Amino acid sequence: MKQIGKKIGRRKLKRKNQEEFAREIDTILDAIHDDILITDGTGKILKVSKSFASVYGIGEDYILGKTVFEMEKKGVFKPSIIAKVLESDQKVTMRQKNSLGRELIVTATPVRNQQGKIEKVVSFTRDLTDYLNLQEQYSALESKMEKYTAEIEELRSKIVTIEGIVGNSESIREVIRTINKIAKFDANVLFLGPSGVGKTMFSRFVHNKSNRSTGPFIEINCAAIPDNLLESELFGYEKGSFTGAGQDGKIGLIELAQGGTLMLDEISEIPLNLQAKILKVIQDKTITRVGGTREIKVDFRLIAASNRDMEELTAQNKFRQDLYYRLNVITIHIPPLKDRKEDIIPLVSYFIDKFNKKYSLEKSLHPQTMDKLLEYNWPGNVRELENILERVMLTSEGNKITKEALPQVILCSDKRGEAPPGCGNLMQALEDLEGALIKEAYNRCGTSVGVAKALQISQPTAVRKIRKYMK
């Protein structure tokens, strides 16, 4: 009897262990993200995980005890991967579509007995539907991002990003559109427009948008260099080539533009005898230094600018026609500020912000002050606007700039923006601004050296200006 009792006890323990093991297996199956299905060696379904119903839309009670072949016929599996394992006698991985139309990736692995015969088959199913939907959404998002990026780049190319060029007028937008089209090509560009409209700024914009943007940008104001020095400044000279020439010679400004952009501002002021040499440089891309005989190859993109009517100058034989045609490959006209008054407000906003940061101020304009700025015709264009704003920001009392702080030339201008004779002039306004800057710098620095450093001028010039304005 004792032996029988022990056997019964062992059986109970074994059954209990099996039940505990089965519960543990169920817990593990439920914890696994993938859906799991187990069959015997004939394809009869023995066990499924709880996630089976959510994946296949069929409850556990309905499918247990049936075969995968029956389920395949009912369209639950399309096709049945376990049927393929039983047929091929090896592990299989494949894409599958269930009766709910969900995309699945399934792997089925045979479990063999000691004789190598398939005893069970275990399949793991991963629902790819959400993943594929996300992939499609991601692809669609990528396409949208590419589209938006292209649109943003296009918008950015239409918005001026170089410092100092600000404008909302259609005429300025057209200038920028033209620059965006031609900047990457090495064609000669001629900027025309009155003084102060920003021809140098736009030339830099062309350079920065070009394939030569990493090279130098050399600006030469042809009107600022005396005629007798202009040739040696442009072309350079060999040592001892003329009285006063340096012992080592000098490289010319044209050579310094190697690999970059050469800007000839006020090109109309170049003497006729020198225009022929400029034409040869443009045609042959070679120069010969003053007093030298060796030709030097130069590679640059040419931008010219003038505030004069070039066609009229050529008609009067004051400018070589062949040189004008060389320069006039792409001509861009920059209109005066009086013809694009919608640019005044954004320009004022830009300069106010610029000088507030530069001088650590917190100033703004009274609405009446802005009205007077909008009424004025600005014969000095953007340069005059910038200079006057800098002056009034430095000389006005308080943080709100009233119209009384404006120069008389603006205050007494009529509704057409024109000032009566004797009301003032640009030179006086510029002199007043210069005086204000000198006084401000001297009060802060206390020495001519400090003034020179602050205003980036030479010390002798600083001493002379201090004597003039600090009486």
Side-chain angles (χ1 to χ4, degrees):
M1 291 294 293
K2 285 185 179 181
Q3 292 296 328
I4 295 173
K6 288 182 180 179
K7 285 182 181 181
I8 293 173
R10 282 196 294 267
R11 286 174 189 164
K12 286 183 179 179
L13 182 60
K14 184 177 181 182
R15 192 181 307 117
K16 182 180 178 182
N17 290 338
Q18 287 175 340
E19 288 173 355
E20 288 180 357
F21 182 71
R23 281 195 298 271
E24 289 176 358
I25 291 296
D26 288 342
T27 302
I28 293 171
L29 291 179
D30 292 341
I32 296 174
H33 180 71
D34 293 345
D35 172 63
I36 297 175
L37 183 146
I38 303 172
T39 72
D40 62 14
T42 65
K44 182 180 176 181
I45 300 170
L46 304 176
K47 184 69 179 175
V48 295
S49 57
K50 287 186 178 179
S51 59
F52 183 88
S54 62
V55 175
Y56 289 94
I58 294 175
E60 180 180 357
D61 295 340
Y62 175 80
I63 197 171
L64 289 178
K66 296 184 173 63
T67 68
V68 293
F69 305 103
E70 294 176 82
M71 295 299 99
E72 188 175 33
K73 287 179 181 178
K74 291 180 180 293
V76 176
F77 310 127
K78 295 180 182 178
S80 168
I81 191 171
I82 291 179
K84 289 188 173 293
V85 169
L86 295 174
E87 180 184 348
S88 64
D89 198 40
Q90 59 185 3
K91 179 180 176 180
V92 177
T93 298
M94 58 180 254
R95 291 276 289 270
Q96 190 182 74
K97 195 169 186 178
N98 67 12
S99 58
L100 300 178
R102 299 184 72 83
E103 295 285 344
L104 312 170
I105 184 77
V106 188
T107 297
T109 304
V111 179
R112 305 178 187 277
N113 58 23
Q114 291 183 346
Q115 289 75 38
K117 185 179 178 181
I118 295 178
E119 191 173 68
K120 289 183 177 61
V121 180
V122 181
S123 73
F124 301 84
T125 302
R126 173 65 59 89
D127 191 345
L128 296 179
T129 308
D130 293 338
Y131 170 76
L132 293 173
N133 288 339
L134 284 173
Q135 193 175 48
E136 287 180 11
Q137 292 174 23
Y138 178 76
S139 298
L141 183 61
E142 260 193 337
S143 299
K144 285 184 180 179
M145 287 298 294
E146 288 176 4
K147 177 186 175 185
Y148 294 153
T149 300
E151 290 176 355
I152 289 169
E153 287 301 320
E154 184 180 356
L155 287 173
R156 281 177 177 167
S157 70
K158 293 177 181 177
I159 298 173
V160 182
T161 55
I162 190 169
E163 184 179 358
I165 301 178
V166 179
N168 290 330
S169 64
E170 181 54 35
S171 56
I172 288 299
R173 289 179 181 275
E174 181 57 33
V175 169
I176 295 167
R177 280 194 290 266
T178 302
I179 290 175
N180 284 326
K181 290 176 184 176
I182 60 91
K184 64 181 178 181
F185 305 110
D186 262 359
N188 297 336
V189 179
L190 175 62
F191 281 107
L192 297 177
S195 294
V197 292
K199 296 186 290 293
T200 300
M201 286 288 189
F202 281 106
S203 298
R204 285 186 178 275
F205 189 33
V206 172
H207 171 72
N208 291 341
K209 297 279 288 185
S210 74
N211 297 327
R212 296 175 176 268
S213 58
T214 56
F217 177 85
I218 303 298
E219 176 199 355
I220 304 169
N221 189 326
C222 302
I225 304 174
D227 292 354
N228 60 328
L229 297 178
L230 186 56
E231 182 177 2
S232 60
E233 287 295 315
L234 290 174
F235 294 91
Y237 56 82
E238 300 293 348
K239 61 180 181 179
S241 55
F242 55 87
T243 303
Q247 292 300 310
D248 298 323
K250 182 181 177 182
I251 188 171
L253 294 173
I254 294 176
E255 278 185 76
L256 291 177
Q258 187 77 16
T261 300
L262 175 68
M263 191 228 171
L264 297 178
D265 194 11
E266 306 301 349
I267 194 169
S268 54
E269 307 309 307
I270 294 180
L272 279 169
N273 65 315
L274 193 54
Q275 289 177 23
K277 293 188 175 183
I278 296 293
L279 178 62
K280 185 178 186 302
V281 172
I282 296 172
Q283 289 176 332
D284 302 340
K285 289 296 175 74
T286 61
I287 63 165
T288 303
R289 291 178 182 172
V290 175
T293 57
R294 180 174 61 93
E295 286 191 339
I296 301 171
K297 286 280 186 183
V298 286
D299 173 35
F300 58 85
R301 198 260 182 84
L302 178 66
I303 298 177
S306 178
N307 62 0
R308 302 181 67 181
D309 187 332
M310 298 295 291
E311 290 187 358
E312 184 179 339
L313 290 177
T314 57
Q316 296 173 356
N317 294 321
K318 294 181 179 179
F319 197 86
R320 290 182 64 108
Q321 192 175 55
D322 49 2
L323 176 56
Y324 172 62
Y325 289 146
R326 280 286 181 180
L327 299 174
N328 192 28
V329 177
I330 298 169
T331 300
I332 300 176
H333 292 267
I334 304 175
L337 191 55
K338 68 177 182 179
D339 293 341
R340 48 185 178 96
K341 287 202 169 183
E342 59 265 52
D343 288 341
I344 292 177
I345 292 177
L347 280 167
V348 169
S349 176
Y350 171 80
F351 289 131
I352 292 289
D353 183 60
K354 174 183 175 180
F355 296 132
N356 272 332
K357 290 178 180 176
K358 180 177 180 180
Y359 298 113
S360 299
L361 301 172
E362 295 181 356
K363 296 198 174 187
S364 60
L365 295 186
H366 189 280
Q368 290 181 343
T369 311
M370 180 63 79
D371 290 341
K372 295 302 294 183
L373 296 179
L374 290 169
E375 288 176 2
Y376 187 54
N377 261 347
W378 300 105
N381 295 292
V382 178
R383 185 183 297 130
E384 182 186 11
L385 174 62
E386 180 180 10
N387 290 340
I388 285 178
L389 285 173
E390 187 170 17
R391 171 192 171 186
V392 299
M393 288 186 70
L394 292 175
T395 58
S396 63
E397 298 291 336
N399 285 337
K400 185 67 71 172
I401 302 172
T402 62
K403 66 178 183 179
E404 287 73 26
L406 294 174
Q408 196 66 24
V409 68
I410 297 178
L411 289 176
C412 61
S413 61
D414 57 24
K415 291 294 182 181
R416 294 173 300 170
E418 298 175 355
C423 185
N425 56 63
L426 176 60
M427 294 305 295
Q428 182 61 50
L430 294 176
E431 187 171 340
D432 290 345
L433 172 63
E434 184 180 65
L437 290 174
I438 292 293
K439 290 177 182 178
E440 170 72 16
Y442 188 75
N443 288 335
R444 281 193 299 159
C445 304
T447 65
S448 60
V449 174
V451 171
K453 186 175 181 181
L455 300 181
Q456 297 182 6
I457 57 178
S458 66
Q459 187 182 4
T461 299
V463 170
R464 188 170 64 254
K465 300 291 184 183
I466 292 169
R467 287 174 181 170
K468 178 179 180 180
Y469 295 112
M470 299 296 292
K471 295 177 181 179

